[in-house]
Amino acid sequence: MARISDETRRNNETAIRQVMERLLAGDVPLGGKCDIKTLAAQAGVARTGFYPKKNRDGSPRPGPYQHLAEEFERRLAALRETGVIPDPRAAQIERLKDQVSGLKERLAARDAQIDGLTDFRERALSQIAAQRMEIERLREQAAAVGNVRRLPAARGGTAPYGSCS
């Protein structure tokens, strides 16, 4: 692999810094993200230059643009800590995640309410059925005994005081 000249390295670093400023300002290209991959692609440099390398003896050495990658990640983290998300796509994802969690909470509350109302309806229907059976039993008992008289039918006209009708 050929080494690059100092002038080319300076030009690449200048291009990387310009792209870094644009990305951190929120000017993310269509289909890109606010990450090293997009930074490298927009600056026109190989992404591998942002990562550490190994010498022939196995000892680590920094990549030519590793310090810029670290600066980019540090600045991006600082922005995120202040609540600023420079990547509109990532901001939309965060907003949608919050919206989904809110909807899940509302759905769980509604499910609990529906379960409570279903239980209430079942209890009410059971009570109505039990009351109907009791009324039928009392009617049968009253008819079998024969000593129960029917009350006279209500007179037409005005209802007495305190009546509900």
Side-chain angles (χ1 to χ4, degrees):
M1 186 167 170
R3 294 195 176 256
I4 59 174
S5 68
D6 287 339
E7 181 181 350
T8 304
R9 184 182 304 230
R10 279 193 303 275
N11 291 340
N12 287 347
E13 286 186 8
T14 302
I16 292 168
R17 287 189 187 281
Q18 289 172 349
V19 172
M20 184 186 316
E21 293 302 323
R22 284 198 328 256
L23 290 176
L24 292 174
D27 184 16
V28 180
L30 187 63
K33 299 180 189 177
C34 194
D35 61 359
I36 298 294
K37 181 179 178 181
T38 305
L39 178 64
Q42 291 292 305
V45 297
R47 185 173 53 173
T48 58
F50 291 98
Y51 302 105
K53 311 287 183 232
K54 288 192 179 183
N55 291 318
R56 292 178 190 249
D57 63 358
S59 62
R61 68 177 161 86
Y65 311 118
Q66 185 175 349
H67 64 286
L68 293 173
E70 291 168 355
E71 177 184 341
F72 178 74
E73 294 294 339
R74 187 173 50 252
R75 290 177 60 190
L76 184 60
L79 282 173
R80 286 183 178 150
E81 284 179 14
T82 61
V84 176
I85 301 176
D87 187 350
R89 186 175 153 273
Q92 181 182 21
I93 289 170
E94 288 300 316
R95 183 180 53 77
L96 290 173
K97 282 181 180 179
D98 291 343
Q99 187 178 7
V100 165
S101 71
L103 290 172
K104 283 182 179 180
E105 289 173 8
R106 285 179 51 198
L107 183 61
R110 292 248 171 102
D111 285 347
Q113 184 181 21
I114 288 171
D115 289 344
L117 291 172
T118 301
D119 291 344
F120 175 77
R121 185 187 73 189
E122 289 175 3
R123 281 193 316 267
L125 289 174
S126 294
Q127 288 175 351
I128 290 170
Q131 289 172 351
R132 180 175 174 83
M133 289 173 56
E134 181 66 11
I135 290 170
E136 289 175 0
R137 185 187 67 78
L138 291 173
R139 283 182 181 161
E140 289 174 4
Q141 183 182 7
V145 172
N147 65 354
V148 177
R149 292 186 308 166
R150 287 186 101 31
L151 294 175
R155 293 177 288 171
T158 61
Y161 290 109
S163 173
C164 295
S165 37

